[in-house]
Every structure is written in C-alpha cells, then in structure tokens.
C-alpha cells in the first residue's frame, strides 16, 4: 500500500514539475496571474473596508468563515475550474489519461494558493499605507 501511494505521489510530482516545458506550460503563469488579479481587487476592497487580512479572518473568525469562503469562491471559482480543465487537456496530451486528483491539486496550487496569499498581502500592504478613499 505504501509503495502504491509513493508511486502516485511521485507521478503527480513528476507531472507537475515536468509540465513547465510541456504543452500548455503557459498555465503556470496565466492561472496564478489571473488569481492574483482577483486577489488584488478583493484585497484592496478589504483594506478600504477595514477588514482583517483574508487568511487571518478565515482561520480566526468562525462566525464569518462560511461567508468568507463563499466570497472567495465567487472570485476564484472560474479560475479554479479553468485550471482543472487546462490540466485535464495537458494530461490527455502528455499521458493520454486523466487523473482528477492531480488536476485538483494543480488547480489548488496554481489558482487557490496564489489567491489566498496575494489577497492577504495586498490588504496588509494597503492597510499599513494609511486611509484609503
């Protein structure tokens, strides 16, 4: 069982890291850039409204967590779906098969993580700069 899991993780890691030079390699730039665009807009609005950084609020504020997740999904959901579709196309081109778990992992790494990090950073930076119109 351990060998099977190790083989799966090795294949996933090889597919992800070898994808930089493969067909659809532009997804490694495009998807984080689009996620960063949406995160910048949301982080700027968070700073204007005086809200705490997004990731901090997700972790600390149980009462708002559901609403925050819904709001974040509205911003990043389409990018996430496009990331899964692009990875599926890449998988069909490169390995002639589709691994849905791998596609979800790639989508999380290329779309969700950049959104979470960048939204919080934008809020922190703008919040420190002072009042916003």
């Amino acid at each position: 069982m351990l060998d099977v899991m190790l083989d799966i993780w090795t294949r996933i890691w090889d597919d992800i890291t070898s994808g930089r030079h493969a067909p659809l390699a532009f997804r490694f730039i495009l998807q984080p850039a689009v996620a960063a665009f949406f995160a910048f807009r949301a982080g700027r609005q968070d700073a204007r409204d005086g809200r705490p950084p997004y990731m901090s609020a997700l972790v600390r504020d149980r009462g708002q967590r559901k609403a925050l997740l819904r709001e974040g999904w509205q911003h990043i959901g389409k990018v996430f779906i496009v990331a899964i579709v692009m990875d599926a196309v890449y998988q069909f081109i490169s390995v002639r098969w589709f691994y849905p778990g791998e596609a979800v992992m790639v989508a999380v790494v290329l779309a969700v993580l950049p959104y979470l990090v960048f939204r919080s950073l934008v809020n922190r930076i703008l919040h420190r700069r002072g009042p916003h119109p």
Side-chain angles (χ1 to χ4, degrees), residues 39-40 43-44 53-55 114-128:
F40 178 81
R44 186 179 63 197
Y54 187 73
M55 283 185 7
Y115 177 83
L116 291 173
V117 170
F118 202 65
R119 181 174 177 174
S120 294
L121 285 175
V122 167
N123 185 350
R124 285 183 193 271
I125 291 168
L126 292 178
H127 196 74
R128 288 184 181 167

Side-chain angles (χ1 to χ4, degrees), residues 15 23-24 27 31 80-107 110:
D15 287 349
L24 301 175
R27 74 187 196 274
Q31 291 165 349
F80 181 80
I81 299 300
V82 168
I84 289 177
V85 169
M86 288 179 74
D87 196 67
V89 170
Y90 163 74
Q91 288 180 32
F92 280 124
I93 290 171
S94 65
V95 295
R96 304 276 188 238
W97 195 254
F98 176 61
Y99 300 99
E102 183 179 324
V104 169
M105 287 176 53
V106 169
L110 294 181

